[in-house]
Amino acid sequence: MSFFNSMNVSATGLTAQRLRMDIISQNIANVTTTKTKEGGPYRRKVLLFEEQTNLNFGHILNDTIENYQGSGVKVSKIIEDTKPLKRIYDPSHPEADGDGYVLMPNVNTVEEMVNMISASRSYDANVTAMNAAKSMALKALDIGK
């Protein structure tokens, strides 16, 4: 793995975690949204990550699995969480049904805060990896002096 490849891997991690933070922020912002433009309450969004590979036919043909080098992470999809919506009794709410119940988003603020901490720690880990690669390159340059 070259110096620039390790920097690129860390950069893909930074990009993926930044998008994860954006989606978590969107979930928290819509914790009480009962009506979306699609109709119905907001549904929590979740990211699916997958390994980013640069495998093309020539690469697979020429390389063996021992020579395989990962090239980071990417977001493959943003999906809606299929957990059931919360049903809360509030007859004064404008979106209440005939029985006085309102369907609320399936967003749990505590779960989102835990996910935000996890994303923040992952982002920090990628920054640390990038700084370690940079430090190693600078030390290698010092050897040449």
Side-chain angles (χ1 to χ4, degrees), residues 3-4 6-15 123-137:
F3 166 71
F4 290 114
S6 64
M7 297 291 270
N8 284 336
V9 169
S10 294
T12 62
L14 292 171
T15 302
Y123 192 90
D124 289 344
N126 282 298
V127 168
T128 301
M130 189 174 281
N131 285 336
K134 184 178 83 176
S135 175
M136 287 179 7

Side-chain angles (χ1 to χ4, degrees), residues 4-23 47 49-50 52 71-75 118-134:
F4 290 114
N5 195 16
S6 64
M7 297 291 270
N8 284 336
V9 169
S10 294
T12 62
L14 292 171
T15 302
Q17 295 305 323
R18 184 190 50 79
L19 181 58
R20 184 177 174 202
M21 289 288 285
D22 290 346
I23 295 298
L47 296 177
F49 294 109
E50 72 179 24
Q52 184 175 7
S71 54
V73 64
K74 70 177 183 179
V75 175
S118 171
S120 176
R121 301 276 187 219
S122 298
Y123 192 90
D124 289 344
N126 282 298
V127 168
T128 301
M130 189 174 281
N131 285 336
K134 184 178 83 176

Side-chain angles (χ1 to χ4, degrees), residues 23-85:
I23 295 298
I24 291 169
S25 299
Q26 182 180 346
N27 288 339
I28 292 173
N30 287 295
V31 74
T32 58
T33 302
T34 57
K35 192 171 189 178
T36 60
K37 69 178 179 183
E38 293 87 19
Y42 177 81
R43 288 198 168 267
R44 178 176 177 256
K45 303 231 177 346
V46 180
L47 296 177
L48 296 179
F49 294 109
E50 72 179 24
E51 182 180 13
Q52 184 175 7
T53 57
N54 291 331
L55 295 180
N56 58 28
F57 183 71
H59 189 249
I60 294 171
L61 201 62
N62 293 329
D63 287 345
T64 61
I65 195 70
E66 290 84 23
N67 293 333
Y68 171 76
Q69 295 180 355
S71 54
V73 64
K74 70 177 183 179
V75 175
S76 62
K77 282 184 185 176
I78 300 174
I79 61 170
E80 289 186 346
D81 192 352
T82 57
K83 288 182 186 171
L85 300 170

Side-chain angles (χ1 to χ4, degrees), residues 87-103:
R87 192 168 182 235
I88 296 175
Y89 183 72
D90 185 5
S92 64
H93 195 282
E95 297 293 325
D97 62 8
D99 297 330
Y101 286 97
V102 181
L103 288 176

